[in-house]
């Protein structure tokens, strides 16, 4: 059964015909990429042109439908939120719908996915043109778009988890697209396994939340809107203890720790750069890693009731922002520097949620998607033109790749928070929150902003303005077009009223925070200029003076080594060996004992099955005599 309703439809705020059309558009946003993925993978796997056209056209269709809904909602013609759903599972007291939820939050995130995603899909046409497996790539890209849209538009926890796991599968396939390359195959496995660890806690949290959603066993729910109305009442009445809700909140937070690569499960994201660069731009800048942040914003009403969990979220985000920024200091691979930058910026977003600012987190998520996708695609353009991604082997790109360099510079300035660009506004929103709620976190976040400026300056001065001998050529228009589009968004995204759209009206501009953060950024850029452009300070001498921290950072805090040691010595030698012993000696022993008993009984029974009639008569007579004897003894 299909159900469509609007929050204000009952009072006539939305025309019924428009509401019906909006429902169809909402379904089209979600299902068009899925239809295209199925078509590509079933009938277009050997038709590269068809695969490219279907993938780009499918996501462009979703973008058009999103723009239609966004325009109708912004003009007041369409009342939001509204929901379109079908009953998917109905078993006794368990009812799970599958549908589409349209509200201001989902619309802005859908615009990010379809808008920036369309640019990346188009860019992929040029970047993957000569790839032998381009059709499979575009099929998985379309399936990924459906998966992330399932998360964004879901009406309930189970539907969200389905999209969550599909995203994990698609990222595994796309990161390992060049699976014949061992490092790419290993990176895909690593991303998949690390996220499975996190998702185990996530699904336990979802099931636990369902189990406490009602005092009546046949009235439990996973529906967002129902839980939002019901759970505060259950907590207030004592039916759900706050301590229980805190544990549930921590389990649910496991999902974003994995998907948004928060410390200590951040280790998969840098290795994921082994995939094609457009994959890095789509999955690891604009969509997949942002899914965890989006989930926290979507369900912030739940986390708002458990301050202890918000504190954990705050400190995990702050630690990730700072530690990932430090990792950017010692990295020499162009894409991996951007990967560590993504980790750091995701830490900012998670930190904002911990500070009670989901709007600030979504604001930074949106602007970050613009300039980080631009930077990744710019890196892809550099790799396409030079076949090199070690920054020390590049240099002089401002001469050989002028348009790529210009757009990359815009993205870099937006990333560091240069005044007037999008990153400046969204980052300062988070810093204002931190200053108001937690001064030490504010100071750490400001320091992190300076560190971001330093490693970004290092990348620019070495790779683009350095004296390397990389002979590059400019990318074709199909790749440059998305760069210009994203560069424009990186400039204007801070001015289009994203916080107001999400229901938050700003107070006066905080000049003190802006000046402090700008000073930190200026310091970071200046130091990088002195080290890597002016050469006024010998970088080698500085590294030698900081030998211990430099080694610590170069080895990524030895976290991968710790995980490797754990797997080899705890997982394999103790846990796996213990399970193997239990299986061999207990499980298999018990099974063999039962088999031996059955075999012994069978041999015993065979003694009575001789096939000789005289033997059967003798046994029969002996039995009769025994019965007569027993009878006489009783008498």
């Amino acid at each position: 059964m299909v159900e469509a309703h609007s929050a204000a439809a009952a009072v006539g705020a939305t025309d019924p015909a428009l509401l019906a059309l909006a429902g169809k558009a909402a379904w089209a946003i979600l299902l068009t990429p899925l239809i295209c993925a199925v078509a590509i993978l079933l009938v277009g796997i050997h038709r590269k042109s068809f695969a490219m056209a279907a993938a780009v056209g499918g996501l462009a269709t979703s973008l058009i439908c999103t723009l239609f809904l966004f325009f109708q909602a912004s003009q007041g013609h369409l009342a939001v939120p509204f929901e379109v759903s079908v009953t998917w599972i109905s078993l006794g007291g368990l009812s799970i719908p599958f549908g589409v939820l349209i509200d201001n939050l989902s619309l802005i995130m859908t615009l990010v996915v379809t808008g920036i995603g369309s640019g990346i899909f188009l860019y992929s046409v040029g970047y993957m043109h000569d790839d032998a497996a381009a059709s499979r790539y575009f099929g998985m890209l379309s399936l990924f778009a459906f998966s992330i849209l399932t998360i964004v538009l879901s009406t309930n926890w189970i539907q969200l988890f389905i999209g969550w796991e599909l995203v994990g599968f698609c990222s595994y396939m796309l990161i390992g697209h060049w699976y014949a390359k061992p490092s790419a195959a290993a990176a895909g496995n690593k991303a998949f396994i690390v996220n499975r660890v996190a998702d185990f806690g996530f699904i336990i949290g979802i099931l636990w939340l369902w189990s406490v959603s009602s005092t009546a066993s046949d009235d439990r729910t996973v529906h967002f809107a129902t839980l939002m109305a019901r759970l505060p009442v259950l907590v207030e009445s004592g039916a759900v203890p706050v301590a229980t809700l805190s544990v549930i909140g921590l389990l649910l937070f496991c999902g974003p720790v994995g998907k948004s690569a928060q410390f200590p499960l951040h280790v998969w994201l840098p290795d994921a750069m082994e995939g094609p660069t457009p994959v890095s731009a789509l999955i690891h800048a604009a969509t997949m890693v942002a899914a965890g942040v989006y989930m926290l914003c979507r369900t912030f009403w739940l986390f708002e009731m458990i301050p202890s969990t918000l504190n954990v979220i705050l400190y995990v985000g702050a630690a990730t922002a700072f530690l990932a920024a430090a990792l950017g200091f010692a990295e020499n691979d162009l894409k991996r520097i951007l990967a560590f930058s993504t980790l750091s910026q995701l830490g900012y977003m998670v930190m904002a949620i911990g500070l009670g600012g989901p709007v600030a987190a979504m604001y930074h998520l949106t602007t970050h998607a613009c300039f980080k996708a631009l930077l990744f695609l710019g890196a892809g353009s550099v790799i396409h033109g030079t076949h090199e991604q070690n920054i020390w082997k590049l240099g002089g790109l401002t001469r050989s790749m002028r348009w790529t360099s210009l757009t990359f510079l815009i993205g870099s300035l937006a990333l560091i928070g240069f005044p007037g660009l999008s990153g400046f506004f969204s980052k300062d929103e988070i810093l204002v929150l931190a200053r108001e709620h937690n001064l030490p976190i504010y100071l750490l976040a400001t320091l992190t902003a300076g560190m971001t400026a330093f490693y970004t300056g290092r990348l620019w001065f070495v790779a683009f303005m350095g004296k390397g001998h990389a002979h590059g050529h400019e990318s074709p228009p199909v790749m440059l077009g998305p760069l210009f589009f994203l560069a424009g968004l990186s400039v204007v995204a801070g001015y289009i009223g994203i916080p107001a759209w999400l229901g938050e009206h700003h107070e006066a501009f905080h000049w003190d925070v802006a000046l402090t953060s700008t000073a930190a950024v200026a310091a970071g850029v200046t130091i990088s200029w002195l080290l890597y452009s002016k050469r006024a300070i010998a970088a080698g001498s500085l590294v030698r003076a900081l030998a211990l921290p430099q080694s610590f950072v170069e080895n990524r805090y030895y976290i991968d080594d710790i995980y490797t040691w754990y797997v080899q010595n705890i997982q394999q030698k103790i846990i796996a060996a213990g399970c193997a012993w239990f299986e061999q000696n207990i499980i298999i022993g018990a099974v063999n004992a039962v088999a031996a008993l059955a075999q012994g009984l069978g041999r015993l029974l065979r003694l009575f099955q001789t096939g000789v009639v005289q033997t059967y008569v003798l046994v029969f007579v002996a039995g009769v005599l025994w019965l007569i004897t027993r009878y006489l003894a009783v008498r």
Side-chain angles (χ1 to χ4, degrees):
M1 183 178 69
V2 180
E3 300 173 349
H5 60 86
S6 168
V11 294
T14 302
D15 179 71
L18 176 59
L19 183 60
L21 181 60
K24 294 177 181 178
W27 280 119
I29 293 171
L30 178 62
L31 297 179
T32 302
L34 175 62
I35 295 170
C36 293
V38 172
I40 293 169
L41 295 173
L42 288 183
V43 302
I45 197 67
H46 299 297
R47 298 176 176 86
K48 184 190 298 184
S49 298
F50 169 79
M52 292 177 173
V56 175
L59 197 59
T61 300
S62 294
L63 173 60
I64 292 170
C65 293
T66 304
L67 289 171
F68 166 73
L69 293 180
F70 185 84
F71 175 78
Q72 295 296 334
S74 62
Q75 295 299 309
H77 304 311
L78 178 66
V80 292
F82 81 88
E83 186 177 309
V84 186
S85 63
V86 296
T87 299
W88 176 40
I89 294 176
S90 182
L91 297 172
L94 177 65
S95 179
I96 301 175
F98 189 94
V100 178
L101 171 62
I102 299 296
D103 61 4
N104 287 0
L105 180 62
S106 64
L107 276 175
I108 195 69
M109 187 66 186
T110 305
L111 277 176
V112 169
V113 174
T114 59
I116 295 177
S118 293
I120 295 172
F121 275 44
L122 183 61
Y123 177 97
S124 295
V125 171
Y127 193 88
M128 302 295 291
H129 185 269
D130 298 324
D131 192 280
S135 295
R136 169 166 54 84
Y137 168 86
F138 279 97
M140 294 310 304
L141 217 58
S142 292
L143 183 60
F144 173 82
F146 163 74
S147 305
I148 192 68
L149 287 170
T150 298
I151 294 175
V152 172
L153 300 172
S154 61
T155 65
N156 61 85
W157 282 104
I158 297 299
Q159 181 182 343
L160 183 146
F161 189 76
I162 292 171
W164 199 270
E165 293 306 297
L166 279 174
V167 163
F169 166 72
C170 293
S171 66
Y172 164 76
M173 294 293 293
L174 289 168
I175 293 168
H177 175 73
W178 293 315
Y179 57 84
K181 184 180 177 184
S183 58
N189 288 334
K190 187 174 184 179
F192 189 81
I193 292 169
V194 171
N195 275 277
R196 297 293 71 70
V197 172
D199 292 352
F200 178 69
F202 188 35
I203 188 60
I204 292 175
I206 291 174
L207 294 175
W208 198 346
L209 183 64
W210 169 79
S211 71
V212 301
S213 62
S214 176
T215 55
S217 60
D218 60 347
D219 192 34
R220 293 169 180 162
T221 184
V222 291
H223 189 254
F224 290 144
T226 306
L227 282 168
M228 186 176 178
R230 182 184 294 176
L231 207 57
V233 177
L234 292 173
V235 172
E236 186 176 353
S237 67
V240 178
V242 175
T244 298
L245 201 61
S246 297
V247 177
I248 293 174
L250 290 174
L251 288 169
L252 294 174
F253 181 53
C254 288
V257 168
K259 199 71 72 188
S260 292
Q262 296 297 287
F263 184 88
L265 296 183
H266 64 285
V267 294
W268 67 270
L269 186 61
D271 291 349
M273 298 302 105
E274 292 289 341
T277 301
V279 170
S280 303
L282 181 66
I283 295 182
H284 308 299
T287 52
M288 174 180 168
V289 294
V293 177
Y294 175 82
M295 186 278 280
L296 292 173
C297 294
R298 163 63 65 200
T299 58
F300 182 73
W301 56 268
L302 170 63
F303 294 94
E304 196 173 23
M305 294 190 292
I306 38 180
S308 59
T309 302
L310 280 183
N311 281 332
V312 173
I313 294 172
L314 167 62
Y315 289 110
V316 168
T320 303
F322 175 78
L323 294 172
L327 291 174
F329 286 17
E331 184 57 62
N332 298 320
D333 183 277
L334 177 59
K335 286 174 64 177
R336 288 177 186 264
I337 293 173
L338 297 179
F340 288 127
S341 171
T342 298
L343 285 173
S344 184
Q345 299 305 306
L346 287 167
Y348 266 110
M349 299 172 208
V350 172
M351 182 179 69
I353 293 168
L355 290 166
V359 172
M362 280 302 301
Y363 189 14
H364 197 54
L365 183 155
T366 306
T367 62
H368 174 263
C370 298
F371 59 71
K372 187 54 63 65
L374 169 61
L375 289 171
F376 270 118
L377 295 188
S381 182
V382 170
I383 296 168
H384 180 269
T386 65
H387 303 288
E388 182 57 66
Q389 56 194 77
N390 186 317
I391 61 172
W392 297 103
K393 295 181 181 180
L394 295 170
L397 297 179
T398 53
R399 297 184 296 274
S400 58
M401 303 182 72
R402 290 181 298 171
W403 295 118
T404 297
S405 298
L406 175 62
T407 54
F408 198 96
L409 177 61
I410 294 173
S412 299
L413 292 175
L415 167 62
I416 67 176
F418 188 83
L421 298 184
S422 59
F424 169 76
F425 296 105
S426 59
K427 178 198 64 178
D428 276 18
E429 283 294 308
I430 299 174
L431 293 178
V432 169
L433 266 177
R435 191 194 62 174
E436 292 176 350
H437 294 90
N438 194 312
L439 185 59
I441 292 294
Y442 165 67
L443 296 175
L444 182 67
T446 303
L447 173 62
T448 302
M451 295 164 65
T452 302
F454 173 80
Y455 69 69
T456 305
R458 172 178 175 265
L459 187 161
W460 173 259
F461 291 126
V462 172
F464 287 84
M465 299 189 67
K467 297 180 180 179
H469 301 286
H471 299 287
H473 60 81
E474 192 57 272
S475 297
V478 71
M479 294 173 64
L480 289 178
L483 292 182
F484 291 129
F485 169 68
L486 291 169
L489 288 179
S490 298
V491 174
V492 305
Y495 298 94
I496 58 178
I498 294 171
W501 173 256
L502 295 174
E504 184 174 283
H505 299 283
H506 288 289
E507 300 174 357
F509 186 76
H510 295 268
W511 284 101
D512 52 346
V513 173
L515 291 173
T516 303
S517 66
T518 301
V521 166
V525 172
T526 300
I527 295 172
S528 65
W529 175 73
L530 291 172
L531 278 169
Y532 301 106
S533 181
K534 188 69 174 175
R535 307 285 180 175
I537 304 174
S541 300
L542 185 60
V543 167
R544 285 190 293 274
L546 301 172
L548 179 59
Q550 175 74 8
S551 173
F552 196 55
V553 170
E554 284 180 346
N555 287 281
R556 302 182 187 178
Y557 311 122
Y558 297 98
I559 293 176
D560 280 292
D561 295 326
I562 293 171
Y563 286 155
T564 300
W565 179 89
Y566 170 80
V567 169
Q568 293 176 348
N569 294 278
I570 306 298
Q571 193 85 17
Q572 293 179 359
K573 294 182 179 180
I574 297 178
I575 299 177
C579 290
W581 181 90
F582 184 80
E583 179 188 15
Q584 293 293 327
N585 294 276
I586 306 300
I587 302 298
I588 294 180
V591 171
N592 289 341
V594 172
L597 177 62
Q599 188 178 42
L601 290 174
R603 287 174 178 172
L604 181 62
L605 289 174
R606 280 203 301 271
L607 297 176
F608 297 94
Q609 300 293 323
T610 64
V612 179
V613 175
Q614 291 89 335
T615 302
Y616 298 153
V617 172
L618 178 62
V619 172
F620 176 77
V621 171
V624 170
L625 291 173
W626 181 81
L627 288 173
I628 293 172
T629 303
R630 293 292 299 171
Y631 175 77
L632 293 174
V634 171
R635 297 288 293 176

